[in-house]
PDB file of all heavy atoms in Angstrom:
ATOM      1  N   PRO A 200      49.423  23.977   9.136  1.00 95.00           N
ATOM      2  CA  PRO A 200      48.756  23.873   7.829  1.00 95.00           C
ATOM      3  C   PRO A 200      47.242  23.684   7.923  1.00 95.00           C
ATOM      4  O   PRO A 200      46.505  24.131   7.047  1.00 95.00           O
ATOM      5  CB  PRO A 200      49.412  22.650   7.188  1.00 95.00           C
ATOM      6  CG  PRO A 200      50.693  22.460   7.930  1.00 95.00           C
ATOM      7  CD  PRO A 200      50.430  22.925   9.325  1.00 95.00           C
ATOM      8  N   LYS A 201      46.798  23.009   8.982  1.00 93.00           N
ATOM      9  CA  LYS A 201      45.366  22.763   9.147  1.00 93.00           C
ATOM     10  C   LYS A 201      44.929  23.354  10.478  1.00 93.00           C
ATOM     11  O   LYS A 201      45.172  22.789  11.537  1.00 93.00           O
ATOM     12  CB  LYS A 201      45.082  21.258   9.102  1.00 93.00           C
ATOM     13  CG  LYS A 201      45.484  20.603   7.788  1.00 93.00           C
ATOM     14  CD  LYS A 201      45.260  19.101   7.825  1.00 93.00           C
ATOM     15  CE  LYS A 201      45.717  18.453   6.518  1.00 93.00           C
ATOM     16  NZ  LYS A 201      45.554  16.981   6.545  1.00 93.00           N
ATOM     17  N   GLY A 202      44.305  24.524  10.409  1.00 92.00           N
ATOM     18  CA  GLY A 202      43.894  25.195  11.631  1.00 92.00           C
ATOM     19  C   GLY A 202      42.660  26.044  11.416  1.00 92.00           C
ATOM     20  O   GLY A 202      42.361  26.463  10.299  1.00 92.00           O
ATOM     21  N   SER A 203      41.945  26.298  12.507  1.00 94.00           N
ATOM     22  CA  SER A 203      40.770  27.167  12.478  1.00 94.00           C
ATOM     23  C   SER A 203      40.991  28.339  13.415  1.00 94.00           C
ATOM     24  O   SER A 203      41.572  28.186  14.493  1.00 94.00           O
ATOM     25  CB  SER A 203      39.514  26.405  12.917  1.00 94.00           C
ATOM     26  OG  SER A 203      39.251  25.323  12.049  1.00 94.00           O
ATOM     27  N   ALA A 204      40.536  29.515  13.003  1.00 95.00           N
ATOM     28  CA  ALA A 204      40.665  30.711  13.830  1.00 95.00           C
ATOM     29  C   ALA A 204      39.441  31.585  13.655  1.00 95.00           C
ATOM     30  O   ALA A 204      38.810  31.587  12.591  1.00 95.00           O
ATOM     31  CB  ALA A 204      41.928  31.482  13.470  1.00 95.00           C
ATOM     32  N   LYS A 205      39.116  32.336  14.703  1.00 94.00           N
ATOM     33  CA  LYS A 205      37.995  33.273  14.641  1.00 94.00           C
ATOM     34  C   LYS A 205      38.439  34.609  15.207  1.00 94.00           C
ATOM     35  O   LYS A 205      39.406  34.697  15.966  1.00 94.00           O
ATOM     36  CB  LYS A 205      36.809  32.731  15.441  1.00 94.00           C
ATOM     37  CG  LYS A 205      37.083  32.572  16.930  1.00 94.00           C
ATOM     38  CD  LYS A 205      35.868  32.013  17.663  1.00 94.00           C
ATOM     39  CE  LYS A 205      36.161  31.888  19.165  1.00 94.00           C
ATOM     40  NZ  LYS A 205      34.987  31.356  19.901  1.00 94.00           N
ATOM     41  N   LEU A 206      37.735  35.679  14.826  1.00 95.00           N
ATOM     42  CA  LEU A 206      38.033  36.992  15.363  1.00 95.00           C
ATOM     43  C   LEU A 206      37.908  36.979  16.883  1.00 95.00           C
ATOM     44  O   LEU A 206      36.973  36.390  17.433  1.00 95.00           O
ATOM     45  CB  LEU A 206      37.090  38.036  14.770  1.00 95.00           C
ATOM     46  CG  LEU A 206      37.352  38.446  13.313  1.00 95.00           C
ATOM     47  CD1 LEU A 206      36.195  39.274  12.785  1.00 95.00           C
ATOM     48  CD2 LEU A 206      38.662  39.198  13.203  1.00 95.00           C
ATOM     49  N   MET A 207      38.855  37.612  17.555  1.00 95.00           N
ATOM     50  CA  MET A 207      38.878  37.637  19.017  1.00 95.00           C
ATOM     51  C   MET A 207      38.561  39.058  19.462  1.00 95.00           C
ATOM     52  O   MET A 207      39.392  39.964  19.337  1.00 95.00           O
ATOM     53  CB  MET A 207      40.254  37.183  19.524  1.00 95.00           C
ATOM     54  CG  MET A 207      40.317  36.924  20.991  1.00 95.00           C
ATOM     55  SD  MET A 207      41.944  36.239  21.448  1.00 95.00           S
ATOM     56  CE  MET A 207      41.628  35.788  23.158  1.00 95.00           C
ATOM     57  N   ASN A 208      37.371  39.264  19.986  1.00 91.00           N
ATOM     58  CA  ASN A 208      36.943  40.601  20.379  1.00 91.00           C
ATOM     59  C   ASN A 208      37.372  40.955  21.802  1.00 91.00           C
ATOM     60  O   ASN A 208      37.751  42.091  22.069  1.00 91.00           O
ATOM     61  CB  ASN A 208      35.422  40.717  20.244  1.00 91.00           C
ATOM     62  CG  ASN A 208      34.965  40.566  18.803  1.00 91.00           C
ATOM     63  OD1 ASN A 208      35.560  41.146  17.904  1.00 91.00           O
ATOM     64  ND2 ASN A 208      33.917  39.775  18.581  1.00 91.00           N
ATOM     65  N   ASP A 209      37.305  40.004  22.706  1.00 94.00           N
ATOM     66  CA  ASP A 209      37.705  40.243  24.097  1.00 94.00           C
ATOM     67  C   ASP A 209      39.149  39.793  24.279  1.00 94.00           C
ATOM     68  O   ASP A 209      39.434  38.604  24.329  1.00 94.00           O
ATOM     69  CB  ASP A 209      36.788  39.485  25.052  1.00 94.00           C
ATOM     70  CG  ASP A 209      37.120  39.757  26.521  1.00 94.00           C
ATOM     71  OD1 ASP A 209      38.004  40.611  26.788  1.00 94.00           O
ATOM     72  OD2 ASP A 209      36.508  39.119  27.396  1.00 94.00           O
ATOM     73  N   THR A 210      40.058  40.754  24.359  1.00 95.00           N
ATOM     74  CA  THR A 210      41.485  40.446  24.503  1.00 95.00           C
ATOM     75  C   THR A 210      42.020  40.826  25.883  1.00 95.00           C
ATOM     76  O   THR A 210      43.220  40.923  26.078  1.00 95.00           O
ATOM     77  CB  THR A 210      42.292  41.182  23.423  1.00 95.00           C
ATOM     78  OG1 THR A 210      42.102  42.597  23.578  1.00 95.00           O
ATOM     79  CG2 THR A 210      41.846  40.761  22.028  1.00 95.00           C
ATOM     80  N   SER A 211      41.132  41.028  26.845  1.00 94.00           N
ATOM     81  CA  SER A 211      41.548  41.496  28.175  1.00 94.00           C
ATOM     82  C   SER A 211      42.424  40.496  28.909  1.00 94.00           C
ATOM     83  O   SER A 211      43.206  40.878  29.791  1.00 94.00           O
ATOM     84  CB  SER A 211      40.309  41.819  29.028  1.00 94.00           C
ATOM     85  OG  SER A 211      39.477  40.666  29.159  1.00 94.00           O
ATOM     86  N   ALA A 212      42.326  39.208  28.559  1.00 95.00           N
ATOM     87  CA  ALA A 212      43.119  38.190  29.251  1.00 95.00           C
ATOM     88  C   ALA A 212      44.512  38.016  28.649  1.00 95.00           C
ATOM     89  O   ALA A 212      45.336  37.277  29.194  1.00 95.00           O
ATOM     90  CB  ALA A 212      42.383  36.847  29.222  1.00 95.00           C
ATOM     91  N   LEU A 213      44.800  38.691  27.545  1.00 96.00           N
ATOM     92  CA  LEU A 213      46.082  38.519  26.863  1.00 96.00           C
ATOM     93  C   LEU A 213      47.157  39.371  27.518  1.00 96.00           C
ATOM     94  O   LEU A 213      46.930  40.534  27.853  1.00 96.00           O
ATOM     95  CB  LEU A 213      45.957  38.878  25.381  1.00 96.00           C
ATOM     96  CG  LEU A 213      44.895  38.093  24.597  1.00 96.00           C
ATOM     97  CD1 LEU A 213      44.927  38.496  23.132  1.00 96.00           C
ATOM     98  CD2 LEU A 213      45.088  36.592  24.754  1.00 96.00           C
ATOM     99  N   ARG A 214      48.348  38.801  27.685  1.00 92.00           N
ATOM    100  CA  ARG A 214      49.466  39.488  28.330  1.00 92.00           C
ATOM    101  C   ARG A 214      50.718  39.340  27.464  1.00 92.00           C
ATOM    102  O   ARG A 214      51.566  38.480  27.706  1.00 92.00           O
ATOM    103  CB  ARG A 214      49.719  38.913  29.735  1.00 92.00           C
ATOM    104  CG  ARG A 214      48.546  39.024  30.695  1.00 92.00           C
ATOM    105  CD  ARG A 214      48.319  40.470  31.137  1.00 92.00           C
ATOM    106  NE  ARG A 214      47.265  40.566  32.145  1.00 92.00           N
ATOM    107  CZ  ARG A 214      45.986  40.763  31.862  1.00 92.00           C
ATOM    108  NH1 ARG A 214      45.604  40.877  30.593  1.00 92.00           N
ATOM    109  NH2 ARG A 214      45.082  40.852  32.820  1.00 92.00           N
ATOM    110  N   PHE A 215      50.820  40.161  26.442  1.00 94.00           N
ATOM    111  CA  PHE A 215      51.971  40.120  25.545  1.00 94.00           C
ATOM    112  C   PHE A 215      52.576  41.510  25.437  1.00 94.00           C
ATOM    113  O   PHE A 215      51.883  42.519  25.586  1.00 94.00           O
ATOM    114  CB  PHE A 215      51.576  39.607  24.159  1.00 94.00           C
ATOM    115  CG  PHE A 215      51.013  38.217  24.158  1.00 94.00           C
ATOM    116  CD1 PHE A 215      49.647  38.000  24.076  1.00 94.00           C
ATOM    117  CD2 PHE A 215      51.856  37.117  24.262  1.00 94.00           C
ATOM    118  CE1 PHE A 215      49.131  36.717  24.081  1.00 94.00           C
ATOM    119  CE2 PHE A 215      51.345  35.827  24.268  1.00 94.00           C
ATOM    120  CZ  PHE A 215      49.982  35.621  24.183  1.00 94.00           C
ATOM    121  N   LYS A 216      53.869  41.571  25.163  1.00 88.00           N
ATOM    122  CA  LYS A 216      54.553  42.858  25.051  1.00 88.00           C
ATOM    123  C   LYS A 216      54.077  43.639  23.837  1.00 88.00           C
ATOM    124  O   LYS A 216      53.951  44.856  23.874  1.00 88.00           O
ATOM    125  CB  LYS A 216      56.070  42.644  24.964  1.00 88.00           C
ATOM    126  CG  LYS A 216      56.699  42.093  26.238  1.00 88.00           C
ATOM    127  CD  LYS A 216      58.189  41.918  26.071  1.00 88.00           C
ATOM    128  CE  LYS A 216      58.816  41.354  27.331  1.00 88.00           C
ATOM    129  NZ  LYS A 216      60.288  41.143  27.170  1.00 88.00           N
ATOM    130  N   ASP A 217      53.807  42.931  22.741  1.00 86.00           N
ATOM    131  CA  ASP A 217      53.390  43.585  21.512  1.00 86.00           C
ATOM    132  C   ASP A 217      51.881  43.750  21.468  1.00 86.00           C
ATOM    133  O   ASP A 217      51.131  42.951  22.044  1.00 86.00           O
ATOM    134  CB  ASP A 217      53.860  42.778  20.303  1.00 86.00           C
ATOM    135  CG  ASP A 217      55.366  42.808  20.165  1.00 86.00           C
ATOM    136  OD1 ASP A 217      55.903  43.850  19.770  1.00 86.00           O
ATOM    137  OD2 ASP A 217      55.995  41.782  20.474  1.00 86.00           O
ATOM    138  N   SER A 218      51.431  44.793  20.792  1.00 89.00           N
ATOM    139  CA  SER A 218      50.002  45.068  20.639  1.00 89.00           C
ATOM    140  C   SER A 218      49.653  45.036  19.154  1.00 89.00           C
ATOM    141  O   SER A 218      49.744  46.055  18.458  1.00 89.00           O
ATOM    142  CB  SER A 218      49.660  46.431  21.231  1.00 89.00           C
ATOM    143  OG  SER A 218      49.961  46.470  22.612  1.00 89.00           O
ATOM    144  N   PRO A 219      49.254  43.874  18.633  1.00 94.00           N
ATOM    145  CA  PRO A 219      48.932  43.764  17.203  1.00 94.00           C
ATOM    146  C   PRO A 219      47.734  44.631  16.824  1.00 94.00           C
ATOM    147  O   PRO A 219      46.930  45.028  17.676  1.00 94.00           O
ATOM    148  CB  PRO A 219      48.599  42.275  17.039  1.00 94.00           C
ATOM    149  CG  PRO A 219      49.213  41.599  18.219  1.00 94.00           C
ATOM    150  CD  PRO A 219      49.142  42.587  19.332  1.00 94.00           C
ATOM    151  N   SER A 220      47.611  44.876  15.539  1.00 92.00           N
ATOM    152  CA  SER A 220      46.476  45.645  15.048  1.00 92.00           C
ATOM    153  C   SER A 220      45.194  44.823  15.085  1.00 92.00           C
ATOM    154  O   SER A 220      44.094  45.375  15.037  1.00 92.00           O
ATOM    155  CB  SER A 220      46.738  46.121  13.620  1.00 92.00           C
ATOM    156  OG  SER A 220      46.973  45.012  12.766  1.00 92.00           O
ATOM    157  N   GLY A 221      45.312  43.510  15.171  1.00 92.00           N
ATOM    158  CA  GLY A 221      44.147  42.644  15.255  1.00 92.00           C
ATOM    159  C   GLY A 221      44.491  41.321  15.911  1.00 92.00           C
ATOM    160  O   GLY A 221      45.636  40.868  15.863  1.00 92.00           O
ATOM    161  N   TRP A 222      43.486  40.703  16.535  1.00 95.00           N
ATOM    162  CA  TRP A 222      43.670  39.413  17.196  1.00 95.00           C
ATOM    163  C   TRP A 222      42.672  38.394  16.650  1.00 95.00           C
ATOM    164  O   TRP A 222      41.505  38.710  16.415  1.00 95.00           O
ATOM    165  CB  TRP A 222      43.436  39.535  18.709  1.00 95.00           C
ATOM    166  CG  TRP A 222      44.589  40.071  19.486  1.00 95.00           C
ATOM    167  CD1 TRP A 222      44.720  41.328  20.021  1.00 95.00           C
ATOM    168  CD2 TRP A 222      45.775  39.369  19.847  1.00 95.00           C
ATOM    169  NE1 TRP A 222      45.914  41.452  20.684  1.00 95.00           N
ATOM    170  CE2 TRP A 222      46.589  40.269  20.595  1.00 95.00           C
ATOM    171  CE3 TRP A 222      46.263  38.081  19.613  1.00 95.00           C
ATOM    172  CZ2 TRP A 222      47.834  39.904  21.111  1.00 95.00           C
ATOM    173  CZ3 TRP A 222      47.495  37.713  20.118  1.00 95.00           C
ATOM    174  CH2 TRP A 222      48.260  38.620  20.857  1.00 95.00           C
ATOM    175  N   TYR A 223      43.154  37.176  16.447  1.00 96.00           N
ATOM    176  CA  TYR A 223      42.314  36.020  16.164  1.00 96.00           C
ATOM    177  C   TYR A 223      42.573  34.981  17.245  1.00 96.00           C
ATOM    178  O   TYR A 223      43.632  34.984  17.881  1.00 96.00           O
ATOM    179  CB  TYR A 223      42.631  35.408  14.794  1.00 96.00           C
ATOM    180  CG  TYR A 223      42.341  36.314  13.629  1.00 96.00           C
ATOM    181  CD1 TYR A 223      43.259  37.262  13.203  1.00 96.00           C
ATOM    182  CD2 TYR A 223      41.127  36.213  12.947  1.00 96.00           C
ATOM    183  CE1 TYR A 223      42.989  38.096  12.133  1.00 96.00           C
ATOM    184  CE2 TYR A 223      40.848  37.042  11.866  1.00 96.00           C
ATOM    185  CZ  TYR A 223      41.786  37.984  11.469  1.00 96.00           C
ATOM    186  OH  TYR A 223      41.515  38.806  10.412  1.00 96.00           O
ATOM    187  N   GLU A 224      41.609  34.105  17.450  1.00 97.00           N
ATOM    188  CA  GLU A 224      41.800  32.999  18.402  1.00 97.00           C
ATOM    189  C   GLU A 224      41.807  31.683  17.637  1.00 97.00           C
ATOM    190  O   GLU A 224      40.883  31.396  16.871  1.00 97.00           O
ATOM    191  CB  GLU A 224      40.706  32.969  19.456  1.00 97.00           C
ATOM    192  CG  GLU A 224      40.925  31.874  20.494  1.00 97.00           C
ATOM    193  CD  GLU A 224      39.954  31.921  21.647  1.00 97.00           C
ATOM    194  OE1 GLU A 224      38.974  32.694  21.567  1.00 97.00           O
ATOM    195  OE2 GLU A 224      40.162  31.184  22.625  1.00 97.00           O
TER     196      GLU A 224
END
């Protein structure tokens, strides 16, 4: 309920099966 997120431009370190249309951190 209480969280902060920002646009994540560098996603090279991410290792997930799915490839979302956008990433936030």
Side-chain angles (χ1 to χ4, degrees):
K201 299 177 182 178
S203 299
K205 63 181 181 180
L206 286 169
M207 191 174 189
N208 296 315
D209 183 5
T210 61
S211 59
L213 303 183
R214 300 289 185 269
F215 299 101
K216 293 180 181 179
D217 292 287
S218 299
S220 59
W222 279 105
Y223 296 84
E224 183 173 10

